[in-house]
Coordinates of all heavy atoms in Angstrom, one line a residue:
M1 N -42.5 -22.0 19.0 CA -42.4 -21.6 17.6 C -41.3 -20.5 17.6 O -41.1 -19.7 18.5 CB -43.7 -21.1 17.1 CG -44.6 -22.2 16.9 SD -45.8 -21.6 15.6 CE -47.4 -21.8 16.2
T2 N -40.7 -20.5 16.3 CA -39.7 -19.4 16.1 C -40.3 -18.3 15.3 O -41.2 -18.6 14.5 CB -38.5 -20.0 15.4 OG1 -39.0 -20.5 14.1 CG2 -37.8 -21.0 16.2
R3 N -39.9 -17.1 15.6 CA -40.4 -16.0 14.8 C -39.4 -15.7 13.7 O -38.2 -15.9 13.9 CB -40.7 -14.8 15.7 CG -39.5 -14.3 16.5 CD -40.0 -13.2 17.4 NE -38.9 -12.8 18.3 CZ -38.2 -11.7 18.1 NH1 -38.5 -10.8 17.2 NH2 -37.1 -11.5 18.9
P4 N -39.9 -15.1 12.5 CA -38.9 -14.8 11.5 C -37.9 -13.6 11.8 O -38.4 -12.8 12.5 CB -39.8 -14.4 10.3 CG -41.2 -14.1 10.9 CD -41.2 -14.9 12.2
V5 N -36.8 -13.8 11.3 CA -35.8 -12.8 11.7 C -35.5 -12.1 10.4 O -35.2 -12.6 9.4 CB -34.5 -13.5 12.2 CG1 -33.4 -12.4 12.4 CG2 -34.8 -14.3 13.5
D6 N -35.5 -10.7 10.5 CA -35.2 -9.8 9.3 C -33.6 -9.6 9.4 O -33.2 -8.9 10.3 CB -35.9 -8.6 9.4 CG -35.7 -7.7 8.1 OD1 -35.1 -8.3 7.2 OD2 -36.1 -6.6 8.2
V7 N -32.9 -10.3 8.6 CA -31.4 -10.3 8.6 C -30.9 -8.9 8.4 O -30.0 -8.4 9.0 CB -30.8 -11.4 7.7 CG1 -29.3 -11.2 7.6 CG2 -31.2 -12.7 8.1
L8 N -31.5 -8.3 7.4 CA -31.0 -6.8 7.0 C -31.2 -5.9 8.2 O -30.3 -5.1 8.4 CB -31.8 -6.4 5.8 CG -31.3 -5.1 5.2 CD1 -29.8 -5.3 4.7 CD2 -32.2 -4.8 3.9
A9 N -32.3 -5.9 8.9 CA -32.5 -5.1 10.1 C -31.5 -5.4 11.1 O -31.0 -4.4 11.8 CB -33.9 -5.2 10.6
V10 N -31.1 -6.6 11.4 CA -30.2 -7.0 12.4 C -28.8 -6.5 12.0 O -28.1 -5.9 12.8 CB -30.1 -8.5 12.6 CG1 -29.0 -8.9 13.4 CG2 -31.5 -9.0 13.1
I11 N -28.4 -6.6 10.8 CA -27.2 -6.1 10.3 C -27.1 -4.5 10.4 O -26.1 -4.0 10.9 CB -26.9 -6.4 8.8 CG1 -26.6 -8.0 8.8 CG2 -25.7 -5.8 8.3 CD1 -26.6 -8.6 7.3
R12 N -28.2 -3.9 10.1 CA -28.3 -2.4 10.2 C -28.0 -2.0 11.7 O -27.4 -1.1 12.1 CB -29.4 -1.8 9.6 CG -29.4 -1.8 8.1 CD -30.6 -1.1 7.6 NE -30.5 -1.2 6.1 CZ -31.6 -1.2 5.3 NH1 -32.8 -1.2 5.8 NH2 -31.4 -1.2 4.0
A13 N -28.7 -2.7 12.6 CA -28.7 -2.4 14.0 C -27.3 -2.6 14.6 O -26.8 -1.8 15.3 CB -29.7 -3.3 14.8
Q14 N -26.6 -3.7 14.1 CA -25.2 -3.9 14.5 C -24.3 -2.8 14.1 O -23.5 -2.3 14.8 CB -24.7 -5.3 14.0 CG -25.3 -6.5 14.7 CD -24.9 -7.8 14.0 OE1 -24.4 -7.8 12.9 NE2 -25.2 -8.8 14.8
E15 N -24.5 -2.4 12.8 CA -23.6 -1.4 12.3 C -23.8 0.0 13.0 O -22.9 0.7 13.3 CB -23.9 -1.2 10.8 CG -23.3 -2.3 9.9 CD -23.6 -2.1 8.5 OE1 -24.4 -1.3 8.1 OE2 -23.0 -3.0 7.7
A16 N -25.1 0.3 13.4 CA -25.4 1.5 14.1 C -24.7 1.5 15.5 O -24.2 2.5 16.0 CB -26.9 1.7 14.2
R17 N -24.8 0.3 16.2 CA -24.2 0.2 17.5 C -22.6 0.3 17.4 O -22.0 1.0 18.2 CB -24.5 -1.1 18.1 CG -25.9 -1.2 18.7 CD -26.1 -2.4 19.5 NE -25.8 -3.7 18.9 CZ -26.7 -4.4 18.2 NH1 -28.0 -4.1 18.2 NH2 -26.4 -5.6 17.7
K18 N -22.1 -0.2 16.4 CA -20.6 -0.1 16.0 C -20.2 1.3 15.8 O -19.2 1.8 16.4 CB -20.2 -1.0 14.9 CG -18.9 -1.0 14.6 CD -18.6 -2.0 13.5 CE -17.2 -1.7 12.7 NZ -17.1 -2.5 11.5
A19 N -21.0 2.1 15.0 CA -20.7 3.4 14.7 C -20.8 4.3 16.0 O -20.1 5.3 16.2 CB -21.6 4.0 13.7
A20 N -21.8 4.0 16.9 CA -22.0 4.8 18.1 C -20.8 4.6 19.0 O -20.6 5.6 19.8 CB -23.2 4.3 18.7
L21 N -20.2 3.5 19.0 CA -19.0 3.2 19.9 C -17.7 3.8 19.4 O -16.7 4.0 20.1 CB -18.8 1.7 20.0 CG -19.9 1.0 20.8 CD1 -19.6 -0.5 20.8 CD2 -20.0 1.4 22.2
R22 N -17.6 4.3 18.1 CA -16.5 4.8 17.5 C -16.2 6.2 18.1 O -17.0 7.1 18.1 CB -16.5 4.8 16.0 CG -15.3 5.4 15.4 CD -15.4 5.1 13.9 NE -15.2 3.7 13.6 CZ -16.1 3.0 12.7 NH1 -16.9 3.6 12.1 NH2 -15.9 1.7 12.6
F23 N -15.0 6.4 18.7 CA -14.7 7.8 19.2 C -14.3 8.8 18.1 O -14.7 9.9 18.1 CB -13.4 7.8 20.1 CG -13.6 6.9 21.3 CD1 -12.8 5.8 21.6 CD2 -14.6 7.3 22.1 CE1 -13.0 5.1 22.8 CE2 -14.8 6.7 23.4 CZ -13.9 5.6 23.7
F24 N -13.6 8.4 17.1 CA -13.2 9.3 16.0 C -13.9 8.9 14.7 O -13.9 7.7 14.4 CB -11.8 9.3 15.8 CG -11.0 9.8 17.0 CD1 -10.3 8.8 17.8 CD2 -11.0 11.0 17.4 CE1 -9.7 9.1 18.9 CE2 -10.4 11.4 18.6 CZ -9.7 10.4 19.4
P25 N -14.4 9.7 13.9 CA -15.1 9.3 12.6 C -14.0 8.8 11.7 O -12.8 9.3 11.7 CB -15.7 10.5 12.2 CG -15.0 11.7 12.8 CD -14.6 11.2 14.1
L26 N -14.4 7.9 10.8 CA -13.5 7.4 9.8 C -13.2 8.5 8.8 O -14.0 9.1 8.3 CB -14.1 6.2 9.1 CG -14.1 4.8 10.0 CD1 -14.8 3.8 9.1 CD2 -12.7 4.4 10.4
A27 N -11.9 8.6 8.4 CA -11.5 9.5 7.4 C -11.8 8.9 6.0 O -11.6 7.7 5.9 CB -10.1 9.9 7.6
P28 N -12.3 9.7 5.1 CA -12.5 9.2 3.8 C -11.2 8.8 3.1 O -10.2 9.5 3.2 CB -13.2 10.3 3.0 CG -12.9 11.5 3.8 CD -12.6 11.1 5.2
R29 N -11.1 7.7 2.5 CA -10.0 7.2 1.9 C -9.7 8.1 0.5 O -10.6 8.3 -0.2 CB -10.1 5.7 1.6 CG -10.2 4.9 2.8 CD -10.1 3.5 2.4 NE -10.1 2.6 3.6 CZ -9.8 1.5 3.6 NH1 -9.3 0.8 2.5 NH2 -9.7 0.8 4.7
K30 N -8.4 8.4 0.4 CA -8.0 9.0 -0.8 C -8.0 8.0 -1.9 O -7.5 6.9 -1.8 CB -6.7 9.7 -0.7 CG -6.7 10.9 0.2 CD -5.6 11.7 0.1 CE -4.2 11.1 0.3 NZ -3.0 11.9 0.4
Q31 N -8.3 8.4 -3.2 CA -8.2 7.5 -4.3 C -6.8 7.5 -4.8 O -6.2 8.6 -4.9 CB -9.2 8.0 -5.4 CG -10.4 7.1 -5.6 CD -11.2 7.4 -6.8 OE1 -11.1 8.6 -7.2 NE2 -11.9 6.5 -7.2
R32 N -6.3 6.3 -5.1 CA -5.0 6.3 -5.7 C -5.0 6.7 -7.2 O -5.9 6.4 -7.8 CB -4.5 4.9 -5.5 CG -4.1 4.4 -4.2 CD -3.5 3.0 -4.2 NE -3.4 2.7 -2.8 CZ -2.8 1.6 -2.5 NH1 -2.5 0.7 -3.4 NH2 -2.6 1.2 -1.2
K33 N -3.9 7.5 -7.5 CA -3.8 7.8 -8.9 C -3.2 6.5 -9.6 O -2.2 6.0 -9.3 CB -2.8 8.9 -9.1 CG -2.7 9.3 -10.5 CD -1.7 10.4 -10.6 CE -1.6 10.7 -12.2 NZ -0.3 11.5 -12.4
T34 N -4.0 6.1 -10.6 CA -3.6 4.9 -11.4 C -2.7 5.4 -12.4 O -2.8 6.4 -13.1 CB -4.7 4.2 -12.0 OG1 -5.5 5.1 -12.8 CG2 -5.7 3.6 -10.9
I35 N -1.6 4.6 -12.7 CA -0.7 4.8 -13.7 C -1.1 4.2 -15.1 O -1.3 2.9 -15.0 CB 0.7 4.4 -13.3 CG1 1.2 5.0 -12.0 CG2 1.7 4.6 -14.5 CD1 2.5 4.5 -11.6
K36 N -1.3 5.0 -16.0 CA -1.8 4.4 -17.3 C -0.6 4.1 -18.2 O 0.5 4.7 -18.0 CB -2.7 5.5 -18.0 CG -4.0 5.8 -17.1 CD -4.8 6.9 -17.8 CE -6.0 7.2 -17.1 NZ -5.8 8.1 -16.0
Q37 N -0.9 3.3 -19.2 CA 0.2 2.9 -20.1 C 0.6 4.1 -20.8 O 1.8 4.2 -21.2 CB -0.2 1.7 -21.1 CG 0.7 1.2 -21.9 CD 1.9 0.5 -21.3 OE1 1.5 -0.2 -20.2 NE2 3.0 0.7 -21.6
A38 N -0.3 5.0 -21.2 CA 0.2 6.2 -21.9 C 1.2 7.0 -21.1 O 2.2 7.6 -21.7 CB -1.1 7.1 -22.2
D39 N 1.0 7.1 -19.8 CA 2.0 7.8 -18.9 C 3.4 7.1 -18.9 O 4.3 7.8 -19.0 CB 1.4 7.8 -17.5 CG 0.2 8.6 -17.3 OD1 -0.1 9.4 -18.1 OD2 -0.6 8.2 -16.3
V40 N 3.4 5.8 -18.9 CA 4.6 5.1 -19.0 C 5.3 5.4 -20.3 O 6.5 5.6 -20.4 CB 4.3 3.6 -18.7 CG1 5.7 2.8 -18.9 CG2 3.8 3.3 -17.4
D41 N 4.4 5.3 -21.4 CA 5.0 5.4 -22.8 C 5.6 6.9 -22.9 O 6.7 7.1 -23.5 CB 4.1 5.2 -23.8 CG 3.6 3.8 -23.9 OD1 4.4 2.9 -23.5 OD2 2.5 3.5 -24.5
A42 N 5.0 7.8 -22.3 CA 5.4 9.2 -22.4 C 6.7 9.4 -21.6 O 7.7 10.0 -22.1 CB 4.4 10.2 -21.9
A43 N 6.8 8.8 -20.5 CA 8.0 9.0 -19.7 C 9.3 8.2 -20.4 O 10.4 8.7 -20.3 CB 7.8 8.3 -18.3
V44 N 9.0 7.0 -20.9 CA 10.0 6.3 -21.5 C 10.5 7.1 -22.8 O 11.7 7.2 -23.1 CB 9.6 4.9 -22.0 CG1 10.6 4.2 -22.9 CG2 9.3 4.0 -20.8
S45 N 9.6 7.6 -23.6 CA 9.9 8.4 -24.8 C 10.7 9.6 -24.4 O 11.7 10.0 -25.0 CB 8.6 8.7 -25.5 OG 8.9 9.5 -26.6
K46 N 10.3 10.3 -23.3 CA 11.0 11.5 -22.8 C 12.5 11.1 -22.5 O 13.5 11.9 -22.9 CB 10.4 12.1 -21.6 CG 11.0 13.3 -21.1 CD 10.2 13.8 -19.9 CE 10.9 15.1 -19.3 NZ 10.2 15.5 -18.1
K47 N 12.7 10.0 -21.8 CA 14.1 9.6 -21.4 C 14.9 9.2 -22.6 O 16.1 9.5 -22.7 CB 14.0 8.4 -20.4 CG 13.8 8.8 -19.1 CD 14.8 9.7 -18.5 CE 14.5 10.2 -17.1 NZ 15.5 11.2 -16.6
L48 N 14.2 8.5 -23.5 CA 15.1 8.1 -24.7 C 15.4 9.4 -25.5 O 16.5 9.4 -26.2 CB 14.2 7.2 -25.7 CG 13.9 5.9 -25.0 CD1 12.9 5.0 -25.9 CD2 15.2 5.1 -25.0
D49 N 14.5 10.4 -25.7 CA 15.0 11.7 -26.3 C 16.1 12.3 -25.7 O 17.1 12.7 -26.3 CB 13.7 12.5 -26.2 CG 12.6 12.1 -27.2 OD1 12.9 11.4 -28.2 OD2 11.5 12.7 -27.1
E50 N 16.1 12.2 -24.3 CA 17.3 12.9 -23.5 C 18.6 12.0 -23.8 O 19.6 12.6 -24.0 CB 17.0 12.8 -22.0 CG 15.9 13.8 -21.6 CD 15.6 13.7 -20.1 OE1 16.3 12.9 -19.4 OE2 14.5 14.2 -19.7
L51 N 18.5 10.7 -23.8 CA 19.6 9.9 -24.2 C 20.1 10.3 -25.5 O 21.3 10.3 -25.8 CB 19.3 8.5 -24.0 CG 19.2 7.8 -22.7 CD1 18.7 6.5 -22.7 CD2 20.6 7.9 -22.0
D52 N 19.2 10.3 -26.5 CA 19.6 10.6 -27.9 C 20.3 12.0 -28.0 O 21.4 12.0 -28.7 CB 18.3 10.6 -28.7 CG 18.7 10.6 -30.2 OD1 19.7 10.0 -30.7 OD2 18.1 11.4 -31.0
R53 N 19.8 13.0 -27.3 CA 20.4 14.3 -27.3 C 21.8 14.2 -26.7 O 22.8 14.9 -27.3 CB 19.6 15.3 -26.5 CG 18.4 15.8 -27.5 CD 17.8 17.1 -26.7 NE 17.2 16.8 -25.5 CZ 16.0 16.4 -25.2 NH1 15.1 16.1 -26.2 NH2 15.6 16.1 -24.0
E54 N 21.9 13.5 -25.6 CA 23.2 13.5 -24.9 C 24.3 12.7 -25.7 O 25.4 13.1 -25.9 CB 23.0 12.7 -23.6 CG 24.3 12.7 -22.7 CD 24.7 14.0 -22.2 OE1 23.9 15.1 -22.2 OE2 25.9 14.1 -21.7
F55 N 23.8 11.6 -26.4 CA 24.8 10.8 -27.2 C 25.2 11.7 -28.5 O 26.4 11.7 -28.9 CB 24.2 9.6 -27.8 CG 24.1 8.5 -26.6 CD1 23.0 7.7 -26.5 CD2 25.2 8.3 -25.8 CE1 22.9 6.7 -25.5 CE2 25.2 7.4 -24.8 CZ 24.0 6.6 -24.7
R56 N 24.2 12.5 -28.9 CA 24.6 13.4 -30.1 C 25.6 14.5 -29.7 O 26.6 14.7 -30.4 CB 23.3 14.0 -30.7 CG 23.6 14.9 -31.8 CD 22.4 15.6 -32.4 NE 21.2 14.8 -32.5 CZ 20.0 15.2 -32.0 NH1 19.8 16.2 -31.4 NH2 19.0 14.3 -32.2
R57 N 25.4 15.0 -28.5 CA 26.3 16.0 -28.0 C 27.6 15.4 -27.7 O 28.7 16.1 -28.0 CB 25.7 16.7 -26.6 CG 26.5 17.7 -26.1 CD 26.1 18.1 -24.7 NE 26.3 17.1 -23.8 CZ 27.6 16.9 -23.2 NH1 28.6 17.6 -23.5 NH2 27.6 15.9 -22.3
L58 N 27.7 14.3 -27.1 CA 29.0 13.6 -26.9 C 29.7 13.3 -28.2 O 31.0 13.4 -28.2 CB 28.8 12.3 -26.0 CG 28.4 12.6 -24.5 CD1 28.0 11.3 -23.9 CD2 29.6 13.3 -23.8
G59 N 29.0 12.9 -29.2 CA 29.6 12.6 -30.5 C 30.3 13.7 -31.1 O 31.3 13.6 -31.7
L60 N 29.7 14.9 -30.9 CA 30.3 16.1 -31.4 C 31.4 16.6 -30.6 O 32.4 17.1 -31.1 CB 29.2 17.2 -31.5 CG 28.1 17.0 -32.5 CD1 27.0 18.1 -32.3 CD2 28.6 16.9 -33.9
E61 N 31.2 16.5 -29.2 CA 32.3 17.0 -28.4 C 33.5 16.0 -28.4 O 34.7 16.5 -28.3 CB 31.7 16.9 -26.9 CG 32.6 17.7 -25.9 CD 32.0 17.8 -24.6 OE1 30.6 17.9 -24.6 OE2 32.7 17.9 -23.7
F62 N 33.4 14.8 -28.6 CA 34.5 13.8 -28.6 C 34.4 13.0 -29.9 O 34.0 12.0 -29.9 CB 34.4 12.8 -27.4 CG 34.5 13.5 -26.1 CD1 33.2 13.6 -25.4 CD2 35.6 14.1 -25.6 CE1 33.2 14.2 -24.2 CE2 35.5 14.6 -24.3 CZ 34.3 14.7 -23.6
P63 N 35.0 13.6 -31.0 CA 34.9 12.9 -32.3 C 35.6 11.6 -32.4 O 35.2 10.8 -33.2 CB 35.6 13.9 -33.3 CG 35.8 15.2 -32.4 CD 35.6 14.9 -31.1
K64 N 36.6 11.4 -31.5 CA 37.3 10.1 -31.3 C 36.3 9.0 -31.1 O 36.5 7.8 -31.5 CB 38.4 10.2 -30.4 CG 39.2 9.1 -30.3 CD 40.4 9.4 -29.3 CE 41.3 8.2 -29.1 NZ 42.4 8.4 -28.2
F65 N 35.3 9.3 -30.3 CA 34.4 8.1 -29.9 C 32.9 8.4 -30.6 O 32.0 7.7 -30.3 CB 34.1 8.4 -28.4 CG 35.3 8.2 -27.6 CD1 35.9 9.3 -26.9 CD2 36.0 7.0 -27.5 CE1 36.9 9.2 -26.1 CE2 37.1 6.8 -26.8 CZ 37.7 7.9 -26.1
A66 N 32.9 9.2 -31.7 CA 31.7 9.4 -32.4 C 31.1 8.1 -33.0 O 29.9 8.0 -32.8 CB 31.9 10.4 -33.6
Q67 N 31.8 7.1 -33.4 CA 31.2 5.9 -33.8 C 30.5 5.1 -32.7 O 29.5 4.6 -33.0 CB 32.3 5.0 -34.5 CG 31.8 3.8 -35.1 CD 32.8 2.9 -35.8 OE1 34.0 3.4 -35.8 NE2 32.5 1.8 -36.4
A68 N 31.1 5.1 -31.6 CA 30.5 4.4 -30.4 C 29.2 5.1 -30.1 O 28.2 4.4 -29.7 CB 31.5 4.4 -29.2
Y69 N 29.2 6.5 -30.0 CA 28.0 7.2 -29.7 C 26.9 7.0 -30.8 O 25.7 6.9 -30.5 CB 28.2 8.7 -29.5 CG 29.1 8.8 -28.2 CD1 30.3 9.6 -28.3 CD2 28.8 8.4 -27.0 CE1 31.1 9.8 -27.2 CE2 29.6 8.5 -26.0 CZ 30.7 9.2 -26.0 OH 31.5 9.5 -24.8
D70 N 27.3 6.9 -32.0 CA 26.3 6.6 -33.2 C 25.7 5.3 -33.0 O 24.6 5.0 -33.1 CB 27.0 6.7 -34.5 CG 27.3 8.2 -35.0 OD1 26.7 9.0 -34.2 OD2 28.1 8.4 -35.8
T71 N 26.4 4.3 -32.6 CA 26.0 3.0 -32.2 C 25.0 3.0 -31.0 O 23.9 2.4 -31.1 CB 27.1 1.9 -31.9 OG1 28.1 2.0 -33.0 CG2 26.6 0.6 -31.6
A72 N 25.3 3.8 -30.1 CA 24.4 4.0 -29.0 C 23.1 4.7 -29.4 O 22.0 4.3 -28.9 CB 25.1 4.8 -27.8
R73 N 23.2 5.6 -30.3 CA 22.0 6.2 -30.8 C 21.1 5.3 -31.6 O 19.8 5.4 -31.6 CB 22.4 7.5 -31.7 CG 22.9 8.5 -30.8 CD 23.2 9.8 -31.7 NE 21.9 10.4 -32.2 CZ 21.8 11.2 -33.2 NH1 23.0 11.5 -34.0 NH2 20.7 11.6 -33.6
V74 N 21.7 4.3 -32.2 CA 21.0 3.3 -33.0 C 20.2 2.4 -32.0 O 19.0 2.1 -32.2 CB 21.8 2.5 -33.9 CG1 21.2 1.2 -34.4 CG2 22.4 3.3 -35.0
V75 N 20.9 2.1 -30.8 CA 20.2 1.3 -29.9 C 19.0 2.1 -29.3 O 18.0 1.5 -29.0 CB 21.3 1.0 -28.7 CG1 20.6 0.4 -27.5 CG2 22.2 0.1 -29.2
V76 N 19.2 3.3 -29.0 CA 18.2 4.2 -28.5 C 17.0 4.2 -29.5 O 15.8 4.1 -29.2 CB 18.6 5.6 -28.1 CG1 17.5 6.6 -27.9 CG2 19.6 5.6 -27.0
K77 N 17.3 4.4 -30.8 CA 16.2 4.3 -31.9 C 15.5 3.0 -31.9 O 14.3 3.0 -32.0 CB 16.9 4.6 -33.2 CG 16.0 4.8 -34.3 CD 16.6 5.1 -35.6 CE 15.5 5.2 -36.8 NZ 16.2 5.2 -38.1
N78 N 16.2 2.0 -31.8 CA 15.5 0.6 -31.7 C 14.7 0.5 -30.5 O 13.5 -0.1 -30.6 CB 16.6 -0.5 -31.8 CG 17.2 -0.6 -33.1 OD1 16.7 -0.1 -34.1 ND2 18.4 -1.1 -33.1
A79 N 15.1 1.0 -29.3 CA 14.4 1.0 -28.1 C 13.0 1.8 -28.3 O 12.1 1.4 -27.7 CB 15.1 1.4 -27.0
R80 N 13.2 2.9 -28.9 CA 12.0 3.8 -29.2 C 10.9 3.1 -30.0 O 9.7 3.2 -29.7 CB 12.4 5.1 -29.8 CG 11.3 6.0 -30.0 CD 11.8 7.4 -30.4 NE 12.7 7.9 -29.6 CZ 13.7 8.8 -29.9 NH1 13.8 9.2 -31.1 NH2 14.5 9.1 -28.9
S81 N 11.3 2.3 -31.0 CA 10.4 1.7 -31.9 C 9.6 0.5 -31.1 O 8.5 0.3 -31.3 CB 11.0 1.1 -33.0 OG 12.0 0.0 -32.8
K82 N 10.2 0.0 -30.1 CA 9.6 -1.0 -29.2 C 8.8 -0.5 -28.2 O 7.7 -1.0 -27.8 CB 10.7 -1.9 -28.5 CG 11.4 -2.8 -29.5 CD 12.5 -3.5 -28.7 CE 13.4 -4.3 -29.8 NZ 14.6 -4.9 -29.1
A83 N 9.1 0.8 -27.8 CA 8.2 1.4 -26.6 C 7.0 2.0 -27.2 O 6.7 2.1 -28.2 CB 9.2 2.5 -26.0

């Protein structure tokens, strides 16, 4: 006749033997920082603001190209509404 086997007890015994054989303890794993959509939106908005300021500065510094920089600022404004 076969005797009943407690599977949970066997698994615990195997894990205990495995842990006893380990030379160095396992280091706890660091949790990864998850990137949230709000973080991405904030970073995109910050870069778009920097671009807008730079195009405004260039438009004042080089009046000959002011129309091109104004067009670029419109593109930045449209990108901001999508972001």
